[in-house]
Structure formats: structure tokens, C-alpha cells
Amino acid sequence: QRQMCIRDSPDNETLPVIFNDFMNCLEGDPTEEKLLPLIDTASELGCEYFVIDAGWYAELDEVWWPTIGLWEPSASRFPGGLGQVMQAIRSKGMTPGLWLELEGMGAAGPLAAQAPDSWFFSRGGTRVVTHQRHQLDFRNPEVIEHVNGIMSRLVEGYGLGYIKMDYNINAGPGTDHDADSLGDGLLEHNRAYLEWVDALFVRYPHLVIENCASGGLRMDGALLQRHSIQSSSDQTDYKKTAAIAVNAVSACTPEQCAVWSYPLADGDEEETIFNMVNSLLLRVHQSGQLWDVDAGRRALIKEALDTYKRIRKDLSHGLPFWPLGFASFESPWTALGMRCPDRAYLAVWRLNGSEERCTFSIPHLRGKDPNITCAFPAGRACPFAWIAAEGELSVTLDGPWQARLFELETH
């Protein structure tokens, strides 16, 4: 039902590999010097989009959180110009993207001081301030003109193909400005925002716009119908990300569901495998301090992304299943399956469980004899056994915090 409701988008068919420089990577501190070698590495690993996350608009000595609103590139961060970095991304065969948070405007920023009160949510005649920011009111035609101008300058000026649209505030119950009640003001603003999003996709049909709100806090049906990619979480601990990935596709479709993979600078091979398996059945959001990842583990990252590219044509039309049910952070093992027309894929994770072996139920293959392979990592297969009569796959992993991806071909 959810798949039938999504706006048609090539993005949900092709499932491109996205690199984003934020999570356990640059973390809101991008500069030309840091980005250029990272662009090279992302391209070598096979990434297809490269997204510069928060901080690109802030000068190096600026505390930017309460001042956002102009969305002009920082001269100190990009002495050669942001356009030069965008061209470097394109020269490596990747599509450039930027992070934005247009609905909020820093209360201490220059634009907030100039704009009239009618641009913002207010209650009792006073502007709402939340997390040092104001909430723009999209019912106001001047606000629409303002945000459209920003989008024109960035998308057309820099040739962007991707926007990470974030939302990191909570404006509360609404606005009573020009409204019968707070709820009336909020409802009409939300409707106006959705109309604006719809118009954006008409205006820029090539543009991929990720729906993100502190990692996944605004995952409602109206936005999921429109956005081809949805952030699931900003969890920084890869061990916890597994459970989030397993459960997130109960809230949105797999072909929308973006999951971070961020191999650690001081990790080992099993950590890297676990990290990569976290995202391989969903939408890959690659990140991490890749400049400090050794060559052997970097080869594992590339193998994982190559595997993803091979199987994504199946994933774009797959349906999820849960052999162990939903996961919790305390689960000893967890798993996520994808049922596709002539095969199934099964990601398994041994979390902090003491049992080396776990059995996974795949009832739609009961009585069949599928060809089973460890799809990733191919060179580090683990013992497994298929019990055809029960439709069960038994897998052995000899230590905690390990993961594997299996492919079960039915003909």
C-alpha cells in the first residue's frame, strides 16, 4: 500500500549510492581542503551522489546554529569557491548535493531582524522561538518567494541534483497569527508547505530531496508520499543501527529508507562488514572517516557497494519480511529479509548474543531448494544450513557484533 502511494521517481528505481559527509565524518565542519580528498575516495568506492552536509554556509569562526537563514557559501571554508568543489564532484562522475534547513531561521541572524513578523509563527503577538530559531510560515507568499529564491540560486547556480532537507526544531502547537486557533494555523501552514514541495518536484523533476528531521523525526504519511528518500536515524553507534534498520521499514518503504554506514577509523574487518550490512537492503548513506580506514577494510566497503549495485534492481521492487520479528537493542540476534520475484535476500546480525547459531524462518521458501550464497562478504562466508521442510536457514557466527548478507535464488 505504501509503495502504491509514493510519488513516481526514478530515484526509487535506480537506488543510487549516496555519500554524505556528516555522520562520524566531517560532522558539520566541511572545508574545501577536507572535501577534495574525500570526494576522490567516495568516487573510488563507487558512490554516485556526494552530499555536503551542514556547515557549508558558516564562516570558520562562526557559531552558525542561531544565525542560519541566508544560505550563502562560506568564503573561509571555500577559498576557491563552492562552485569549484561542486565541479570536483561532477568531474568524478558523481552528482552534487547540499544540506538545507529552510523552515527554520536563526533568531540571531541578520535576515530575522529584517523580516516582518508575518513571516514567522507567533503566539499572542510574539514570535515563537525554539532552539534559538524562528519557524517560517509557508502561508505567507513572501516566505514562498524567499525560499524559492534560495532554491533557484543553489539548484540552478550549482547544478545540484540532491537536497537534504532537514528540520531540527519543534515549533509547538502552531501559530495564531491570521488563524482561528493554533491548530488552524498549523494545519494551513502544513498544507502550504506540502504545496510548495509538490511545486518543487514539478520545477526540478531531476532533483532528489531527502526528508530528514534530526535523522527521522518527521516520518509522516504526507511527506513519505512525496519524498523518494527518507532518513531513518542519526544514530552514531553502528551496533545500534542494525536494530533501527530492521524496524525502520515498518514505517516506510525499503526503497525510501536511508540508513547510515560509517566504518570506523579504528575498527576491524568485522566492524566494517557489520557497518555495511546495516544498509545493504535499504538505501545506502555512506559516510565515515574513510581517510583513516586501511586498504583492506576499504576494499570491503567497495565490495559491499558493488554488491549493492548488483542486487538493487531486485530491492527496488522487494517486500520486507522479519524472520525473528522486530528488533530491540537488547536482541541477541536480528535479521531483515527482502522477498523479490525470483530470489530473497537475508541480512543477519549477531548482536551481543551468547549463542553462535541462530535459525531464521523464511516460510515462503518452505519445501523449496534455493541456491544459497553468502553475497557479502564473499570471501568471509560463515557456516550455514538450509532446512527445506521447515523453510529455515541456520547460520553460525563465531563472535558477537558480526553480520552477513545471504542471497537465496529460487530458480
Side-chain angles (χ1 to χ4, degrees), residues 143-165:
V143 169
I144 298 298
E145 183 180 0
H146 162 69
V147 293
N148 279 342
I150 293 169
M151 293 298 293
S152 295
R153 175 165 47 82
L154 296 178
V155 175
E156 298 167 27
Y158 292 109
L160 298 183
Y162 192 104
I163 294 289
K164 178 178 177 179
M165 197 70 78

Side-chain angles (χ1 to χ4, degrees), residues 24-51:
N24 291 350
C25 187
L26 300 186
E27 297 186 330
D29 189 27
T31 65
E32 181 180 313
E33 181 181 12
K34 294 175 182 178
L35 285 167
L36 292 178
L38 197 54
I39 290 166
D40 291 341
T41 301
S43 174
E44 291 166 5
L45 292 173
C47 297
E48 295 159 309
Y49 281 70
F50 190 101
V51 181

